[in-house]
Amino acid sequence: MTWISFPRQSYGSGVAIAIPAIYRSTVGKKAVMAVSGAVMVTFLVLHMIGNWKIFFGAESFNHYAHWLRTMGEPVVPYRTLLTLLEVVLVLSVVLHMWSAWSLARRASAARPVKYHGKKKSHAQGYATHIMRYGGITLLLFIIWHLLDLTFFVVNPKGSAATPYDRVVADFAPERFWVTAIYIVGVVMVGLHLRHGVWSAFQTLGLRSPRNNRALRLLAGGLALVLTIGFLIVPLSVTFGLVS
């Protein structure tokens, strides 16, 4: 790995700072974005499958929620593994956002004045808006989701109820606006994934003219499955299939 060393005289502390050159490059930032995105996609798939436990009844869903907090016991203390997973997820989100912001700044600096010649295609413009504004929407949705079903600040049942009761109360028919928030948020996740997964294949050098169509279908299929998979639970509660 190549390292960039800065001269001592450039810093008052007199301490030489070395930063991996790959992380300062556009390719490196895209790789960080792709890998952190892959971590988040893996989490989403596992999270979606866990959510489906609600269709097996309250006991099954509550047992699953309890198991998440007791993984590894008695080898490790209560909630240790879950906390480690949460730390990895938070780091992935931060790195992903940092990479996106850094790449956007670099692109803006490289082209401070818009070209007057060739215009962006509709597809390029669509992708740019989805990844930029969709990312902001996703951040707001994640904050709401954490306040709702992790810290129970905005959940009608609060921390005293069981996980199953909190979900049922959250998406009750009279709270249709909460279901609407989740629909918008999850759809944005799907749109973000559709473009992001395909871009990750390209960044990691997995795309070629031969498999380009297949990878696009894979990215679109994964996004569709996750979108439907996450929406099934709130919609089932709202329409009385789960109560």
Side-chain angles (χ1 to χ4, degrees):
M1 181 180 292
T2 305
W3 294 78
I4 295 176
S5 296
F6 295 91
R8 293 176 182 272
Q9 61 269 26
S10 298
Y11 299 89
S13 62
V15 178
I17 299 178
I19 300 177
I22 189 172
Y23 296 140
R24 294 175 57 86
S25 69
T26 298
V27 174
K29 294 176 189 296
K30 287 184 176 181
V32 170
M33 198 170 181
V35 173
S36 59
V39 172
M40 290 187 287
V41 169
T42 301
F43 164 78
L44 287 174
V45 171
L46 296 176
H47 187 28
M48 177 188 69
I49 294 173
N51 285 353
W52 291 346
K53 285 283 187 179
I54 201 167
F55 297 112
F56 295 92
E59 184 178 354
S60 178
F61 189 75
N62 291 333
H63 180 268
Y64 163 70
H66 178 70
W67 171 80
L68 287 175
R69 291 157 177 76
T70 58
M71 286 186 298
E73 286 190 338
V75 179
V76 295
Y78 175 81
R79 217 185 184 285
T80 299
L81 293 184
L82 180 60
T83 300
L84 289 175
L85 291 174
E86 289 171 342
V87 169
V88 171
L89 183 61
V90 169
L91 286 175
S92 297
V93 171
V94 171
L95 287 172
H96 197 77
M97 293 176 61
W98 169 80
S99 299
W101 174 77
S102 182
L103 287 168
R105 283 194 62 190
R106 178 165 294 186
S108 178
R111 192 180 59 185
V113 180
K114 292 183 179 181
Y115 295 132
H116 296 287
K118 186 178 179 180
K119 295 182 179 180
K120 281 186 177 180
S121 67
H122 291 297
Q124 287 176 317
Y126 163 80
T128 299
H129 281 78
I130 286 297
M131 300 308 285
R132 181 178 301 169
Y133 301 110
I136 296 173
T137 304
L138 286 179
L139 178 61
L140 295 175
F141 174 64
I142 290 171
I143 292 173
W144 170 268
H145 184 60
L146 291 173
L147 291 174
D148 186 12
L149 293 172
T150 299
F151 300 112
F152 320 126
V153 176
V154 296
N155 188 275
K157 287 289 186 178
S159 59
T162 65
Y164 184 91
D165 289 339
R166 280 194 291 266
V167 172
V168 170
D170 204 25
F171 300 112
E174 62 271 18
R175 284 170 57 87
F176 64 90
W177 56 274
V178 175
T179 303
I181 289 175
Y182 274 81
I183 291 174
V184 172
V186 171
V187 168
M188 291 308 302
V189 169
L191 293 174
H192 198 85
L193 277 174
R194 181 175 176 272
H195 180 74
V197 171
W198 182 83
S199 296
F201 288 137
Q202 185 174 17
T203 298
L204 297 175
L206 301 176
R207 187 181 69 86
S208 68
R210 177 176 296 181
N211 65 11
N212 180 55
R213 179 177 175 80
L215 291 180
R216 281 189 178 276
L217 289 174
L218 177 60
L222 177 61
L224 182 62
V225 168
L226 285 171
T227 299
I228 295 174
F230 273 107
L231 287 180
I232 284 176
V233 172
L235 290 175
S236 295
V237 175
T238 299
F239 289 101
L241 301 177
V242 174
S243 60

